[in-house]
Amino acid sequence: MTAQMGPDELGRANEIVELVLKINRKYPHVFLPGLLEDYIDGIKTSVIRRKYNIRNYEDFSYLASKLKFVGHRSTGKGTESRNANLSNDKWEQRYMLIHAQCDRFHRQISGLLNYNILRSFLVHAILEAQFIEYKEAENAVRETYARLKSIPLLEDDSIRESFEEYIQKDLRTKLNDITGELVKECNVARTGADISVPEEYPNITQTLHGLIGQEKSGITYRRLLTSIWAKFPLLAMVFGLDILNSALDDLEAKDGIVRKRPFSGGSPTSDQLFTHDNYIRMMEKVRTEKVLSGKTAFFGRNITPDQFIMELESLERGDLDDLDDQITRIAGLVLADSASLQSPKEYARGFDFVVDLTEYTFRPEHLDMMKNLDFEATAKIFHCKVMIDEEVTEDVISDLKRAVPAEEQGVVFTCRTVSREIAELTRQDRIIQVIGEAGIRNWCEITPIIPCRRLSVARIMYGDSSGSTVLVKSLNYESGLAVVEMPDGKEAAFPIGCMKEVDLRLPDGEDYEAANAIYFGLVRTLYSMSEDDFEDGMRTEPVAIHDTFENLQRKIHPELYEGVHPPINTEKKPSGISYVQFENVYASLGPGMGGPPECTCGKSMNETYYHTLCSHLVSGVIHYCLDGLGWDVIFKRIESTTIQLAGLRSLNMKRSIQAVYDTLGIEDREILLEYLQLRAEA
């Protein structure tokens, strides 16, 4: 078939084949034809992840990027979502290309998925029994399949029927091939007639405790998965996470670890895990830093009621997952005004999260708002349910009322119109009350600062890391801590309230995750090029930014412009350069430079520092880029600055090589030149 293809068609076919192989190496249960249709149909992210065993939202985003679907995806609206997604011309073209090639190679793609499913069932059987006799492998796999056939992936009739047909023929041969792979790549032992797991696998619980203890500020469930899979690769091949969860539950039950969950009953992806000693030290450090800093304000990000409602309606309802969704936004609004930012573990059936008001005192603004909304808060524990796009009916109220424990109350958040009958029903005993769109808007007006968004870039406002710029990975409202990525790629934990989201001036509808990733990429570049000056640069505030050299001179030497005498420096500079002024020096950058950014502190021209940026250039780049009037300008500045920094990196490499060359003798110089030539040809 491929022999009849033209060059363009062959190129497209090769692209999709390589895409399938790349995806299946990392996500063995992803079926590309099915994923493509589910994505375009607007199936909710949490449903897609469960079906294809995609462990976290970052992995889902990675897959979307590989499919080259960039931008907002309509979800949860059936045919309307499909039509909306395909109305994007680029999405439609990409969809048609992948769809056509998946049809062309459907048999091969299905065969790869079936092989991976069969391998997973064999691994399940081996892990559960510790060893199986090879002659019993077929029976063991069939028994495991019969027990686990209700997994989400096999609820898809076409996938289940394809797999059942696959195992009807040459099953022993297929299991023999899989066993050979497991022996070679995962240290599975095949001794005589037995297949057994490696000796270290029974010590998973002990290994987990050791990995958690290594992280003084805690470790997220997501990162723990990555670490444990590196040590026990068989665990990455099974369906679900029951084996790992069982070991963690055992550790928690025996007080071996402290586990903090973002929400009760949700996905564990963003759970934070500590040893007891590390948790106590971490909480004491948080309290001490806040007291010493004198900071009592909650930072986060500013938001208007209109903006909050617009964002809320554009998000998925969510599944208490690591996805930024309606539940996390409402929780952030409710909890932003609480000093502790904590929610209890226990929650009533049917609710999404719980707020503990035991040590909270309402502000006068809250009391006025509740009076205007005819809302009464008589309990200390509030169970919250988010129904932004759903109708609140009498049956919903009745079910929730039965679930609320005695002496506690419940509240439903919705943007749908609440009927007069429902409003009257909730006033009868106030066990369940409803806050509609008007109430949510009022809440925003008195709480205009809410927590940073997940996958946004934020600045640490107090503590030992004050001034640091980080990428927010997850928010945990039980611990009150956010897990972030530092510019060096490491994870750290900070109080949610100490982070201020960087304002990239994004227009409505702009993909904030992609924009923040672009900006944080610039921050990482600055970190890699600045070494010890990076933190100082991120904390340094410029005096001013000037758009012409004359304006800079007027600021530095105002006395020369007050009389008739011309300024001392009459040097002419090309347009398009910005001058970031500091106390005694200034940095020059911008597309008009025609070369790399410069600083008059001289460090960038000192051969001792050829490989690094000074603190002024770090600060100058950040403030120059963020000085743009809107995201379009900010993006262009990031783009041009990134090119300039790449040029500077190349120039510094040449300078460093030249400096080394100048110190060598003739023979050593020839060796260096020969080495560089070989590197260039490689």
Side-chain angles (χ1 to χ4, degrees), residues 205 244-257:
T205 301
L244 179 63
N245 289 338
S246 177
L248 288 174
D249 289 343
D250 185 52
L251 278 172
E252 190 176 14
K254 294 177 180 177
D255 292 328
I257 60 171

Side-chain angles (χ1 to χ4, degrees), residues 194-235:
D194 293 341
I195 309 171
S196 59
V197 298
E199 293 181 1
E200 65 268 20
Y201 272 70
N203 297 319
I204 290 175
T205 301
Q206 181 180 341
T207 303
L208 284 171
H209 189 270
L211 290 171
I212 295 169
Q214 291 173 11
E215 304 295 332
K216 302 304 180 186
S217 59
I219 186 172
T220 58
Y221 183 93
R222 178 195 299 113
R223 191 152 64 91
L224 184 63
L225 280 184
T226 302
S227 298
I228 203 71
W229 286 337
K231 291 181 176 293
F232 304 108
L234 285 180
L235 294 179

Side-chain angles (χ1 to χ4, degrees), residues 57 61 65 69-72 454-457 471 504 506 509-521 524 631 635 638:
Y57 181 62
S61 297
S65 71
F69 293 127
V70 179
H72 175 71
R454 294 170 180 179
L455 299 180
S456 65
V457 179
L471 182 67
L504 296 178
L506 300 174
E510 185 72 35
D511 187 341
Y512 90 91
E513 291 179 20
N516 278 270
I518 290 169
Y519 176 66
F520 196 62
R524 278 195 292 252
W631 169 244
F635 174 72
I638 291 174

Side-chain angles (χ1 to χ4, degrees), residues 31-45 48 51-52 60 63-64 67-99 316:
F31 182 54
L32 183 57
L35 175 66
L36 177 69
E37 297 301 330
D38 290 343
Y39 193 90
I40 293 297
D41 283 344
I43 303 300
K44 290 188 176 182
T45 302
I48 293 177
K51 178 177 179 179
Y52 298 108
F60 181 84
L63 285 169
L67 296 177
K68 298 183 180 179
F69 293 127
V70 179
H72 175 71
R73 182 174 76 102
S74 174
T75 61
K77 300 177 182 177
T79 304
E80 183 181 336
S81 286
R82 182 180 181 88
N83 292 337
N85 291 328
L86 290 178
S87 67
N88 182 319
D89 291 341
K90 291 183 178 179
W91 280 38
E92 182 183 28
Q93 292 172 14
R94 185 65 179 167
Y95 166 78
M96 295 301 293
L97 186 154
I98 298 175
H99 180 77
E316 293 187 14

